[in-house]
Amino acid sequence: MRFYLTCWWQPWAMLGCILSTSPAAMAAGVTIHYTCGDGSNSAACAQEAQKWAEQTGNRVNLVSMPASSTEQLSLYQQLLSSHSSDIDVIMVDTTWSGILNDHLANLNTLLPGDLAKGQIAASIANNTVNGNLKAMPFYADASLLYYRKDLLEKYHRQVPVTWQQMTDSARYIQEQERAAGNRSLWGYVFQGKAYEGLTCNVLEWVASDGGGVLLDQHGNVEVDTPAVRSALKRAGGWIGTIAPKGVLSYEEETSRGVFQSGNAVFMRNWPYVWALSQSPNSVIKGKVGVAPLPAGDSDGGRHASTLGGWSLAVSRYSQHPRESAELVAWLTRKENQKQRAIEFSFLPTYTDLYSDPQVLEASPFIGSLLEPIKQAIPRPAGLVKTLYPRYSNAIFDRSHRVLGGEASVDQAVDMLNRDMQRLVRRADFADAQN
Ligand code: GLC
């Protein structure tokens, strides 16, 4: 089967490409405009959409988005608030169902059958607003500590269980390797840019020290706590010592770039990195280990991961809601999730795939992630609803200042406390969902 790819620039500056099976097919069927994140997952998205186009005689226009979840959300908000039909199928982050609710079609009315069957219950609950399913889970995410097995072995270090152990080993290995001429090596890389990724890191640091998500379900602010202070202090101490100053502008792919070129001992990132780090041309193939993120050093310390992941939704302004929903059903079906887990190490949202022998052969660590996914920290999007961008902005902005040395921990805690108090005054906690 031959595919024809036609590309052009969208009015809002995104690259669009249509996949079709023949020039003749361009005349039949409908065109579905589909966003599937940035380049890091476009291979998976294109491959599966191609098959759907081939089977149905429709066309798929794959629209590439910025990498940052924060930037994507603001683009969608602009586009959808003008009721634009430029996009039919939207890939939505874990925290967006409530924010974009008014713009998303109810999938229960567009797709037949029990859509929740076999799925991780929390993934479906997360996408359900007032009883309506607004997005189908596409893949889940839990953060991991990636480490260089070969370097830990060389220096007789254990896989770190606490942040202190991670910091000590990172510093030691960095010093030894640099003294031996490996001058580009850093101890730890993570997502330190002021965007959603930093919010995920901060919530993990705080939870690992026994803290919460800075607000409880009654609207009490929990910012001025020992857990928040110790988390920010510890992370601030990494910059320029075990982490490069450049980490202040790192997203997921930037940190992966440093780690995958062999220039970091430890990295915090999501499961998709596993498959890329093991690809044939990867210089660290066979040298990578995966573990839970370290626990805090205090008595209440624990391993903590933010709950991440993406789902597919249909825009209410789509001119082809039925075909769009069919594409969503196709892309999110179990067989495709299995293939994506095998080839691209994306975490499935169907529970039995976590014990599927082929999935485990390709990505052995996936077998141990079902429980961590179920226990991962949900960001309080159901609680603060449309104010979620403010909540996240306050966290990443204030903590970015600490990392950049522009604010002390005391100053940042004070500012964040006031941000959250203001947010709570505007939020309606009466019908909070989580
Ligand atoms: C990953 C997660 C997503 C999170 C984002 C932050 O893509 O799946 O939930 O918001 O990272 O950068």
PDB file of all heavy atoms in Angstrom, residues 59-88:
ATOM      1  N   ARG A  59      -9.375  10.757   5.291  1.00  0.00           N
ATOM      2  CA  ARG A  59      -8.012  11.284   5.349  1.00  0.00           C
ATOM      3  C   ARG A  59      -7.760  11.854   6.739  1.00  0.00           C
ATOM      4  O   ARG A  59      -8.697  12.292   7.415  1.00  0.00           O
ATOM      5  CB  ARG A  59      -7.812  12.399   4.313  1.00  0.00           C
ATOM      6  CG  ARG A  59      -7.952  11.906   2.893  1.00  0.00           C
ATOM      7  CD  ARG A  59      -7.994  13.049   1.897  1.00  0.00           C
ATOM      8  NE  ARG A  59      -9.163  13.901   2.069  1.00  0.00           N
ATOM      9  CZ  ARG A  59     -10.375  13.605   1.618  1.00  0.00           C
ATOM     10  NH1 ARG A  59     -10.590  12.479   0.975  1.00  0.00           N
ATOM     11  NH2 ARG A  59     -11.395  14.411   1.822  1.00  0.00           N
ATOM     12  N   VAL A  60      -6.490  11.824   7.139  1.00  0.00           N
ATOM     13  CA  VAL A  60      -6.136  12.386   8.442  1.00  0.00           C
ATOM     14  C   VAL A  60      -5.083  13.464   8.226  1.00  0.00           C
ATOM     15  O   VAL A  60      -4.069  13.231   7.573  1.00  0.00           O
ATOM     16  CB  VAL A  60      -5.594  11.304   9.397  1.00  0.00           C
ATOM     17  CG1 VAL A  60      -5.189  11.925  10.722  1.00  0.00           C
ATOM     18  CG2 VAL A  60      -6.641  10.235   9.636  1.00  0.00           C
ATOM     19  N   ASN A  61      -5.362  14.626   8.775  1.00  0.00           N
ATOM     20  CA  ASN A  61      -4.397  15.722   8.712  1.00  0.00           C
ATOM     21  C   ASN A  61      -3.767  15.835  10.094  1.00  0.00           C
ATOM     22  O   ASN A  61      -4.389  16.295  11.038  1.00  0.00           O
ATOM     23  CB  ASN A  61      -5.134  17.016   8.341  1.00  0.00           C
ATOM     24  CG  ASN A  61      -4.258  18.234   8.524  1.00  0.00           C
ATOM     25  OD1 ASN A  61      -3.040  18.126   8.531  1.00  0.00           O
ATOM     26  ND2 ASN A  61      -4.885  19.395   8.677  1.00  0.00           N
ATOM     27  N   LEU A  62      -2.510  15.379  10.196  1.00  0.00           N
ATOM     28  CA  LEU A  62      -1.817  15.374  11.490  1.00  0.00           C
ATOM     29  C   LEU A  62      -1.230  16.759  11.748  1.00  0.00           C
ATOM     30  O   LEU A  62      -0.389  17.218  10.990  1.00  0.00           O
ATOM     31  CB  LEU A  62      -0.707  14.325  11.419  1.00  0.00           C
ATOM     32  CG  LEU A  62      -0.173  13.785  12.720  1.00  0.00           C
ATOM     33  CD1 LEU A  62      -1.277  13.124  13.530  1.00  0.00           C
ATOM     34  CD2 LEU A  62       0.921  12.771  12.415  1.00  0.00           C
ATOM     35  N   VAL A  63      -1.689  17.404  12.790  1.00  0.00           N
ATOM     36  CA  VAL A  63      -1.248  18.769  13.076  1.00  0.00           C
ATOM     37  C   VAL A  63      -0.283  18.736  14.257  1.00  0.00           C
ATOM     38  O   VAL A  63      -0.609  18.221  15.321  1.00  0.00           O
ATOM     39  CB  VAL A  63      -2.455  19.673  13.426  1.00  0.00           C
ATOM     40  CG1 VAL A  63      -1.993  21.099  13.701  1.00  0.00           C
ATOM     41  CG2 VAL A  63      -3.463  19.646  12.299  1.00  0.00           C
ATOM     42  N   SER A  64       0.922  19.249  14.032  1.00  0.00           N
ATOM     43  CA  SER A  64       1.939  19.203  15.076  1.00  0.00           C
ATOM     44  C   SER A  64       1.787  20.393  16.033  1.00  0.00           C
ATOM     45  O   SER A  64       1.462  21.496  15.616  1.00  0.00           O
ATOM     46  CB  SER A  64       3.302  19.225  14.384  1.00  0.00           C
ATOM     47  OG  SER A  64       4.294  19.409  15.312  1.00  0.00           O
ATOM     48  N   MET A  65       1.978  20.156  17.312  1.00  0.00           N
ATOM     49  CA  MET A  65       1.803  21.203  18.335  1.00  0.00           C
ATOM     50  C   MET A  65       3.128  21.477  19.037  1.00  0.00           C
ATOM     51  O   MET A  65       4.051  20.681  18.947  1.00  0.00           O
ATOM     52  CB  MET A  65       0.770  20.729  19.370  1.00  0.00           C
ATOM     53  CG  MET A  65      -0.620  20.552  18.829  1.00  0.00           C
ATOM     54  SD  MET A  65      -1.298  22.076  18.152  1.00  0.00           S
ATOM     55  CE  MET A  65      -1.842  22.934  19.618  1.00  0.00           C
ATOM     56  N   PRO A  66       3.203  22.580  19.818  1.00  0.00           N
ATOM     57  CA  PRO A  66       4.425  22.809  20.595  1.00  0.00           C
ATOM     58  C   PRO A  66       4.603  21.687  21.624  1.00  0.00           C
ATOM     59  O   PRO A  66       3.629  21.042  22.001  1.00  0.00           O
ATOM     60  CB  PRO A  66       4.165  24.140  21.319  1.00  0.00           C
ATOM     61  CG  PRO A  66       2.868  24.650  20.832  1.00  0.00           C
ATOM     62  CD  PRO A  66       2.183  23.599  20.046  1.00  0.00           C
ATOM     63  N   ALA A  67       5.834  21.482  22.076  1.00  0.00           N
ATOM     64  CA  ALA A  67       6.078  20.387  23.023  1.00  0.00           C
ATOM     65  C   ALA A  67       5.440  20.660  24.383  1.00  0.00           C
ATOM     66  O   ALA A  67       4.920  19.759  25.025  1.00  0.00           O
ATOM     67  CB  ALA A  67       7.572  20.180  23.184  1.00  0.00           C
ATOM     68  N   SER A  68       5.472  21.917  24.822  1.00  0.00           N
ATOM     69  CA  SER A  68       5.037  22.216  26.185  1.00  0.00           C
ATOM     70  C   SER A  68       3.521  22.132  26.331  1.00  0.00           C
ATOM     71  O   SER A  68       2.764  22.729  25.563  1.00  0.00           O
ATOM     72  CB  SER A  68       5.534  23.620  26.542  1.00  0.00           C
ATOM     73  OG  SER A  68       4.654  24.242  27.433  1.00  0.00           O
ATOM     74  N   SER A  69       3.095  21.391  27.344  1.00  0.00           N
ATOM     75  CA  SER A  69       1.667  21.246  27.626  1.00  0.00           C
ATOM     76  C   SER A  69       1.033  22.616  27.884  1.00  0.00           C
ATOM     77  O   SER A  69      -0.087  22.896  27.455  1.00  0.00           O
ATOM     78  CB  SER A  69       1.514  20.328  28.849  1.00  0.00           C
ATOM     79  OG  SER A  69       0.207  20.304  29.296  1.00  0.00           O
ATOM     80  N   THR A  70       1.763  23.495  28.562  1.00  0.00           N
ATOM     81  CA  THR A  70       1.257  24.832  28.878  1.00  0.00           C
ATOM     82  C   THR A  70       0.988  25.622  27.594  1.00  0.00           C
ATOM     83  O   THR A  70      -0.058  26.267  27.450  1.00  0.00           O
ATOM     84  CB  THR A  70       2.291  25.590  29.753  1.00  0.00           C
ATOM     85  OG1 THR A  70       2.606  24.754  30.864  1.00  0.00           O
ATOM     86  CG2 THR A  70       1.784  26.918  30.229  1.00  0.00           C
ATOM     87  N   GLU A  71       1.946  25.561  26.649  1.00  0.00           N
ATOM     88  CA  GLU A  71       1.760  26.302  25.384  1.00  0.00           C
ATOM     89  C   GLU A  71       0.636  25.693  24.551  1.00  0.00           C
ATOM     90  O   GLU A  71      -0.138  26.403  23.917  1.00  0.00           O
ATOM     91  CB  GLU A  71       3.063  26.311  24.584  1.00  0.00           C
ATOM     92  CG  GLU A  71       4.105  27.230  25.174  1.00  0.00           C
ATOM     93  CD  GLU A  71       5.485  26.995  24.582  1.00  0.00           C
ATOM     94  OE1 GLU A  71       5.591  26.766  23.359  1.00  0.00           O
ATOM     95  OE2 GLU A  71       6.461  27.028  25.340  1.00  0.00           O
ATOM     96  N   GLN A  72       0.551  24.374  24.568  1.00  0.00           N
ATOM     97  CA  GLN A  72      -0.530  23.722  23.803  1.00  0.00           C
ATOM     98  C   GLN A  72      -1.881  24.180  24.320  1.00  0.00           C
ATOM     99  O   GLN A  72      -2.775  24.521  23.553  1.00  0.00           O
ATOM    100  CB  GLN A  72      -0.455  22.209  23.965  1.00  0.00           C
ATOM    101  CG  GLN A  72       0.638  21.555  23.175  1.00  0.00           C
ATOM    102  CD  GLN A  72       0.496  20.025  23.203  1.00  0.00           C
ATOM    103  OE1 GLN A  72      -0.600  19.497  23.205  1.00  0.00           O
ATOM    104  NE2 GLN A  72       1.616  19.338  23.242  1.00  0.00           N
ATOM    105  N   LEU A  73      -2.044  24.169  25.649  1.00  0.00           N
ATOM    106  CA  LEU A  73      -3.338  24.524  26.220  1.00  0.00           C
ATOM    107  C   LEU A  73      -3.735  25.931  25.814  1.00  0.00           C
ATOM    108  O   LEU A  73      -4.878  26.177  25.418  1.00  0.00           O
ATOM    109  CB  LEU A  73      -3.300  24.393  27.752  1.00  0.00           C
ATOM    110  CG  LEU A  73      -4.571  24.831  28.467  1.00  0.00           C
ATOM    111  CD1 LEU A  73      -5.783  24.016  28.019  1.00  0.00           C
ATOM    112  CD2 LEU A  73      -4.428  24.714  29.986  1.00  0.00           C
ATOM    113  N   SER A  74      -2.780  26.858  25.846  1.00  0.00           N
ATOM    114  CA  SER A  74      -3.201  28.222  25.532  1.00  0.00           C
ATOM    115  C   SER A  74      -3.567  28.349  24.050  1.00  0.00           C
ATOM    116  O   SER A  74      -4.487  29.084  23.690  1.00  0.00           O
ATOM    117  CB  SER A  74      -2.184  29.249  26.036  1.00  0.00           C
ATOM    118  OG  SER A  74      -1.234  29.496  25.100  1.00  0.00           O
ATOM    119  N   LEU A  75      -2.910  27.568  23.177  1.00  0.00           N
ATOM    120  CA  LEU A  75      -3.311  27.564  21.756  1.00  0.00           C
ATOM    121  C   LEU A  75      -4.733  27.024  21.583  1.00  0.00           C
ATOM    122  O   LEU A  75      -5.560  27.594  20.865  1.00  0.00           O
ATOM    123  CB  LEU A  75      -2.375  26.657  20.976  1.00  0.00           C
ATOM    124  CG  LEU A  75      -1.279  27.310  20.163  1.00  0.00           C
ATOM    125  CD1 LEU A  75      -0.325  26.262  19.620  1.00  0.00           C
ATOM    126  CD2 LEU A  75      -1.880  28.098  19.002  1.00  0.00           C
ATOM    127  N   TYR A  76      -5.024  25.910  22.271  1.00  0.00           N
ATOM    128  CA  TYR A  76      -6.371  25.332  22.152  1.00  0.00           C
ATOM    129  C   TYR A  76      -7.428  26.289  22.695  1.00  0.00           C
ATOM    130  O   TYR A  76      -8.519  26.397  22.139  1.00  0.00           O
ATOM    131  CB  TYR A  76      -6.462  24.014  22.926  1.00  0.00           C
ATOM    132  CG  TYR A  76      -5.724  22.876  22.266  1.00  0.00           C
ATOM    133  CD1 TYR A  76      -4.805  22.120  22.973  1.00  0.00           C
ATOM    134  CD2 TYR A  76      -5.949  22.551  20.941  1.00  0.00           C
ATOM    135  CE1 TYR A  76      -4.128  21.073  22.370  1.00  0.00           C
ATOM    136  CE2 TYR A  76      -5.272  21.509  20.330  1.00  0.00           C
ATOM    137  CZ  TYR A  76      -4.363  20.777  21.051  1.00  0.00           C
ATOM    138  OH  TYR A  76      -3.689  19.744  20.454  1.00  0.00           O
ATOM    139  N   GLN A  77      -7.084  26.958  23.797  1.00  0.00           N
ATOM    140  CA  GLN A  77      -8.076  27.879  24.371  1.00  0.00           C
ATOM    141  C   GLN A  77      -8.422  28.986  23.382  1.00  0.00           C
ATOM    142  O   GLN A  77      -9.576  29.338  23.209  1.00  0.00           O
ATOM    143  CB  GLN A  77      -7.574  28.436  25.705  1.00  0.00           C
ATOM    144  CG  GLN A  77      -7.691  27.392  26.812  1.00  0.00           C
ATOM    145  CD  GLN A  77      -7.183  27.902  28.144  1.00  0.00           C
ATOM    146  OE1 GLN A  77      -6.065  28.395  28.244  1.00  0.00           O
ATOM    147  NE2 GLN A  77      -7.998  27.790  29.183  1.00  0.00           N
ATOM    148  N   GLN A  78      -7.371  29.498  22.701  1.00  0.00           N
ATOM    149  CA  GLN A  78      -7.621  30.548  21.705  1.00  0.00           C
ATOM    150  C   GLN A  78      -8.493  30.016  20.573  1.00  0.00           C
ATOM    151  O   GLN A  78      -9.476  30.610  20.165  1.00  0.00           O
ATOM    152  CB  GLN A  78      -6.308  31.003  21.070  1.00  0.00           C
ATOM    153  CG  GLN A  78      -5.479  31.959  21.902  1.00  0.00           C
ATOM    154  CD  GLN A  78      -4.103  32.111  21.269  1.00  0.00           C
ATOM    155  OE1 GLN A  78      -3.973  32.183  20.055  1.00  0.00           O
ATOM    156  NE2 GLN A  78      -3.074  32.135  22.097  1.00  0.00           N
ATOM    157  N   LEU A  79      -8.083  28.858  20.074  1.00  0.00           N
ATOM    158  CA  LEU A  79      -8.743  28.283  18.908  1.00  0.00           C
ATOM    159  C   LEU A  79     -10.198  27.910  19.215  1.00  0.00           C
ATOM    160  O   LEU A  79     -11.119  28.233  18.452  1.00  0.00           O
ATOM    161  CB  LEU A  79      -7.961  27.025  18.533  1.00  0.00           C
ATOM    162  CG  LEU A  79      -8.136  26.485  17.158  1.00  0.00           C
ATOM    163  CD1 LEU A  79      -7.410  27.380  16.172  1.00  0.00           C
ATOM    164  CD2 LEU A  79      -7.532  25.078  17.091  1.00  0.00           C
ATOM    165  N   LEU A  80     -10.413  27.244  20.329  1.00  0.00           N
ATOM    166  CA  LEU A  80     -11.754  26.745  20.644  1.00  0.00           C
ATOM    167  C   LEU A  80     -12.684  27.867  21.091  1.00  0.00           C
ATOM    168  O   LEU A  80     -13.891  27.800  20.856  1.00  0.00           O
ATOM    169  CB  LEU A  80     -11.678  25.644  21.711  1.00  0.00           C
ATOM    170  CG  LEU A  80     -10.949  24.370  21.247  1.00  0.00           C
ATOM    171  CD1 LEU A  80     -10.708  23.419  22.413  1.00  0.00           C
ATOM    172  CD2 LEU A  80     -11.729  23.657  20.142  1.00  0.00           C
ATOM    173  N   SER A  81     -12.122  28.907  21.705  1.00  0.00           N
ATOM    174  CA  SER A  81     -13.020  29.973  22.144  1.00  0.00           C
ATOM    175  C   SER A  81     -13.594  30.722  20.936  1.00  0.00           C
ATOM    176  O   SER A  81     -14.629  31.370  21.033  1.00  0.00           O
ATOM    177  CB  SER A  81     -12.334  30.926  23.125  1.00  0.00           C
ATOM    178  OG  SER A  81     -11.234  31.490  22.483  1.00  0.00           O
ATOM    179  N   SER A  82     -12.940  30.580  19.762  1.00  0.00           N
ATOM    180  CA  SER A  82     -13.526  31.199  18.564  1.00  0.00           C
ATOM    181  C   SER A  82     -14.397  30.185  17.813  1.00  0.00           C
ATOM    182  O   SER A  82     -14.790  30.426  16.671  1.00  0.00           O
ATOM    183  CB  SER A  82     -12.416  31.729  17.652  1.00  0.00           C
ATOM    184  OG  SER A  82     -11.700  30.636  17.113  1.00  0.00           O
ATOM    185  N   HIS A  83     -14.654  29.022  18.437  1.00  0.00           N
ATOM    186  CA  HIS A  83     -15.494  27.956  17.850  1.00  0.00           C
ATOM    187  C   HIS A  83     -14.954  27.495  16.500  1.00  0.00           C
ATOM    188  O   HIS A  83     -15.721  27.139  15.605  1.00  0.00           O
ATOM    189  CB  HIS A  83     -16.958  28.410  17.724  1.00  0.00           C
ATOM    190  CG  HIS A  83     -17.587  28.687  19.041  1.00  0.00           C
ATOM    191  ND1 HIS A  83     -18.934  28.839  19.214  1.00  0.00           N
ATOM    192  CD2 HIS A  83     -17.053  28.818  20.279  1.00  0.00           C
ATOM    193  CE1 HIS A  83     -19.192  29.079  20.497  1.00  0.00           C
ATOM    194  NE2 HIS A  83     -18.063  29.073  21.148  1.00  0.00           N
ATOM    195  N   SER A  84     -13.641  27.516  16.370  1.00  0.00           N
ATOM    196  CA  SER A  84     -13.015  27.135  15.104  1.00  0.00           C
ATOM    197  C   SER A  84     -13.175  25.635  14.849  1.00  0.00           C
ATOM    198  O   SER A  84     -13.042  24.818  15.754  1.00  0.00           O
ATOM    199  CB  SER A  84     -11.526  27.490  15.185  1.00  0.00           C
ATOM    200  OG  SER A  84     -10.823  26.766  14.227  1.00  0.00           O
ATOM    201  N   SER A  85     -13.417  25.280  13.585  1.00  0.00           N
ATOM    202  CA  SER A  85     -13.505  23.855  13.223  1.00  0.00           C
ATOM    203  C   SER A  85     -12.185  23.370  12.618  1.00  0.00           C
ATOM    204  O   SER A  85     -12.143  22.338  11.963  1.00  0.00           O
ATOM    205  CB  SER A  85     -14.665  23.638  12.252  1.00  0.00           C
ATOM    206  OG  SER A  85     -14.431  24.402  11.087  1.00  0.00           O
ATOM    207  N   ASP A  86     -11.095  24.111  12.848  1.00  0.00           N
ATOM    208  CA  ASP A  86      -9.792  23.740  12.273  1.00  0.00           C
ATOM    209  C   ASP A  86      -9.272  22.411  12.797  1.00  0.00           C
ATOM    210  O   ASP A  86      -8.463  21.757  12.164  1.00  0.00           O
ATOM    211  CB  ASP A  86      -8.734  24.817  12.596  1.00  0.00           C
ATOM    212  CG  ASP A  86      -8.860  26.000  11.664  1.00  0.00           C
ATOM    213  OD1 ASP A  86      -9.750  25.972  10.794  1.00  0.00           O
ATOM    214  OD2 ASP A  86      -8.076  26.958  11.814  1.00  0.00           O
ATOM    215  N   ILE A  87      -9.684  22.038  14.031  1.00  0.00           N
ATOM    216  CA  ILE A  87      -9.225  20.768  14.600  1.00  0.00           C
ATOM    217  C   ILE A  87     -10.429  19.930  14.985  1.00  0.00           C
ATOM    218  O   ILE A  87     -11.373  20.444  15.605  1.00  0.00           O
ATOM    219  CB  ILE A  87      -8.326  21.003  15.817  1.00  0.00           C
ATOM    220  CG1 ILE A  87      -7.023  21.641  15.349  1.00  0.00           C
ATOM    221  CG2 ILE A  87      -8.014  19.699  16.539  1.00  0.00           C
ATOM    222  CD1 ILE A  87      -6.017  21.824  16.427  1.00  0.00           C
ATOM    223  N   ASP A  88     -10.400  18.642  14.623  1.00  0.00           N
ATOM    224  CA  ASP A  88     -11.504  17.743  14.970  1.00  0.00           C
ATOM    225  C   ASP A  88     -11.170  16.912  16.204  1.00  0.00           C
ATOM    226  O   ASP A  88     -11.967  16.797  17.126  1.00  0.00           O
ATOM    227  CB  ASP A  88     -11.795  16.790  13.800  1.00  0.00           C
ATOM    228  CG  ASP A  88     -12.138  17.548  12.532  1.00  0.00           C
ATOM    229  OD1 ASP A  88     -13.265  18.044  12.447  1.00  0.00           O
ATOM    230  OD2 ASP A  88     -11.269  17.673  11.647  1.00  0.00           O
TER     231      ASP A  88
END
